[in-house]
Structure formats: structure tokens, C-alpha cells
């Protein structure tokens, strides 16, 4: 009996798909080959198969590749079946109308916050991201919400840095838990403000985060408190809709 000693063809295909991102939606064969450590001929064969299935498509002017609409067909049933997403949608819409800013719902995959729903701001200038965008930066408001529920050792793994930095960050997470929402005031991007609040399930566990994101020029430090309270109220509403009990802050 033979055993596979290297990455399987499926693993290689997944690695190719994961190369694409919001910041780099178009990639060539050489780019992908360099990133995942495969020969260009192997990457070309993988892309040909993915293209035939509609999972990637070729950008004719540049001859590079982008993710195809077939990806949506695969992810669609999952997104439609997420209780958190379905329950949160009307609450997110009300939040966007109330604040005038973009509202979103994010889930935790163990190391990243992943955007699964979004209601764009009504303003012409706004901050939005595509569904599926992942956040791992520890200063991101949504990541703070999820890490506030993790152990100190898990936080250490995510943060890295010195003991002093860890202690300061753990103190910040304690404030997030006490206040009921997290703030990112231009810390991950000088042009963006984000506030996020936790959503709990019936077991009292954090299962999602409600996020408000806005251009920094439109939000003063004084307004952040109002946005945080609005975000926390919406998260509490979603929590109740999921059968959970909002935490007192």
C-alpha cells in the first residue's frame, strides 16, 4: 500500500485559491507559484482545472487570474444556513440606518475574524469590505472582541511581543469585556474607525461580533462612545434573537 508523502492535489488547489485576497485580486502563474512553492507548470494545470469549474477566471487584459463566481456558488449554501447571519441581518440594517455607517457581522475561525454579512453606509464615502474578508490583527475591533473570551495563553500566541505588551493588551481586553465593546480608532488604518461588540449564544459563549466601521474623518473621539453603545445594543438584540442573554456592562 502506498502512502502520500507530500501535499495532495486538493491541498495544492486550496493553496492556490487562498493566494487571492482583497488587496491582490489578480495574480499570475508566476506569482502563485512563488507563494506556494510549486512549479509554474503545476500551477498552470491547477488553474486550468479551477477555471473549467468556474472557481477562477482569467482577466483578459492582463492574462492574470481572479476568483470566479463559482466560489459564491460553493459558499452560498453555507452563508444561507448560518443562523447568526440570518438572524443578524435585520438588526444590522437597523444599525446602519441608525448610525449612517457600515455595519457588519463577523465570525471567529479560531485565529481570524471573518466577515459574513455587511450593510453598507448610506454615505458616498464609506468603509466596506467584501464578504469573506479576514482580520487577524490584534488591534482590530472584532479581533479584540473574540480574544477577550480566550485564555491568556491563547492571547499570548496571537499577540506575540514582550510580557509587558501582553499585560497591557490583556488589560485592554478586560476593558473591552467590562465596557461591552472594543474600539479601533485608526490603529490598524489611519483612515478607519471600528467598534465591535460580542454576540452570545444560549450557552453564554461568544459566537459572533457586530462591527461598525467608518472613515476616521467623520468620527470624532467623542462620537466613538455613541457608536460603541449603539453597536453593543445591536449585538444584545442579536444575542436575544439567538436565544442568549446579553451580558450586563
Amino acid at each position: 500500500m502506498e502512502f502520500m508523502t507530500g501535499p495532495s492535489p486538493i491541498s495544492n488547489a486550496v493553496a492556490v485559491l487562498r493566494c487571492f485576497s482583497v488587496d491582490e485580486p489578480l495574480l499570475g502563474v508566476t506569482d502563485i507559484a512563488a507563494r506556494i512553492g510549486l512549479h509554474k507548470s503545476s500551477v498552470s494545470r491547477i488553474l486550468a482545472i479551477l477555471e473549467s469549474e468556474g472557481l477562477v477566471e482569467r482577466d483578459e487584459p492582463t492574462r492574470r487570474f481572479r476568483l470566479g463566481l463559482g466560489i459564491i456558488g460553493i459558499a452560498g449554501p453555507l452563508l444561507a444556513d448560518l443562523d447568526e447571519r440570518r438572524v443578524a441581518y435585520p438588526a444590522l440594517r437597523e444599525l446602519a440606518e441608525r448610525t449612517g455607517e457600515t455595519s457588519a457581522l463577523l465570525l471567529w475561525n479560531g485565529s481570524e475574524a471573518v466577515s459574513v454579512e455587511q450593510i453598507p453606509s448610506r454615505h458616498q464615502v464609506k468603509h466596506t469590505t467584501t464578504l469573506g474578508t479576514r482580520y487577524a490583527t490584534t488591534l482590530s475591533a472584532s479581533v479584540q472582541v473574540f480574544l477577550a473570551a480566550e485564555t491568556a495563553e491563547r492571547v499570548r500566541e496571537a499577540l506575540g511581543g514582550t510580557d509587558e505588551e501582553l499585560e497591557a493588551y490583556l488589560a485592554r481586553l478586560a476593558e473591552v469585556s467590562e465596557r461591552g465593546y472594543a474600539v479601533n480608532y485608526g490603529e490598524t488604518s489611519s483612515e478607519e474607525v471600528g467598534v465591535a461588540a460580542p454576540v452570545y449564544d444560549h450557552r453564554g459563549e461568544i459566537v459572533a461580533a457586530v462591527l461598525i466601521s467608518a472613515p476616521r474623518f467623520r468620527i470624532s473621539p467623542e462620537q466613538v462612545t455613541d457608536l460603541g453603545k449603539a453597536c453593543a445594543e445591536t449585538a444584545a438584540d442579536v444575542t436575544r434573537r439567538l436565544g442568549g442573554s446579553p451580558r450586563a456592562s
Side-chain angles (χ1 to χ4, degrees):
M1 179 182 295
E2 293 186 1
F3 293 92
M4 296 177 62
T5 58
S8 70
I10 294 177
S11 296
N12 288 334
V14 171
V16 169
L17 291 173
R18 285 180 170 167
C19 286
F20 297 93
S21 67
V22 175
D23 294 329
E24 294 181 287
L26 290 175
L27 294 172
V29 173
T30 301
D31 301 323
I32 296 172
R35 294 185 185 193
I36 64 177
L38 286 179
H39 194 276
K40 289 192 291 184
S41 61
S42 298
V43 172
S44 293
R45 288 194 294 271
I46 293 171
L47 287 169
I49 294 172
L50 295 175
E51 185 177 18
S52 69
E53 297 295 331
L55 301 181
V56 299
E57 58 187 33
R58 195 184 298 269
D59 179 65
E60 291 302 330
T62 65
R63 302 302 294 169
R64 293 186 171 191
F65 290 87
R66 62 161 62 92
L67 291 179
L69 294 178
I71 291 289
I72 298 177
I74 293 175
L78 170 63
L79 292 177
D81 195 44
L82 287 175
D83 286 341
E84 294 89 348
R85 180 175 183 262
R86 184 170 56 251
V87 168
Y89 183 84
L92 294 177
R93 187 176 58 213
E94 293 171 6
L95 180 62
E97 292 174 355
R98 174 181 174 186
T99 63
E101 303 299 346
T102 298
S103 65
L105 184 76
L106 296 99
L107 303 182
W108 186 243
N109 68 7
S111 59
E112 301 165 313
V114 183
S115 173
V116 297
E117 187 58 272
Q118 178 179 250
I119 308 296
S121 165
R122 60 175 176 265
H123 295 292
Q124 184 173 1
V125 179
K126 55 196 167 190
H127 179 77
T128 59
T129 59
T130 56
L131 295 185
T133 297
R134 296 177 289 182
Y135 301 89
T137 306
T138 53
L139 293 177
S140 295
S142 56
V143 174
Q144 292 179 55
V145 164
F146 291 114
L147 287 181
E150 297 282 359
T151 64
E153 187 57 36
R154 177 67 189 89
V155 173
R156 180 189 293 275
E157 294 174 3
L159 181 67
T162 65
D163 289 341
E164 290 77 11
E165 290 171 329
L166 175 63
E167 290 303 316
Y169 189 71
L170 287 173
R172 178 173 184 157
L173 295 183
E175 292 178 3
V176 170
S177 297
E178 182 177 355
R179 185 174 54 218
Y181 62 88
V183 176
N184 169 16
Y185 193 76
E187 294 172 277
T188 57
S189 169
S190 60
E191 299 177 351
E192 178 192 353
V193 172
V195 297
V199 172
Y200 299 92
D201 66 6
H202 65 281
R203 297 181 297 269
E205 298 178 355
I206 296 177
V207 292
V210 171
L211 172 73
I212 299 174
S213 57
R216 186 176 176 183
F217 75 85
R218 198 157 57 224
I219 307 299
S220 68
E222 293 74 23
Q223 290 174 298
V224 169
T225 299
D226 291 335
L227 286 182
K229 291 179 179 178
C231 189
E233 289 171 4
T234 297
D237 182 21
V238 177
T239 292
R240 283 188 287 268
R241 296 184 189 203
L242 286 172
S245 299
R247 302 286 181 87
S249 59

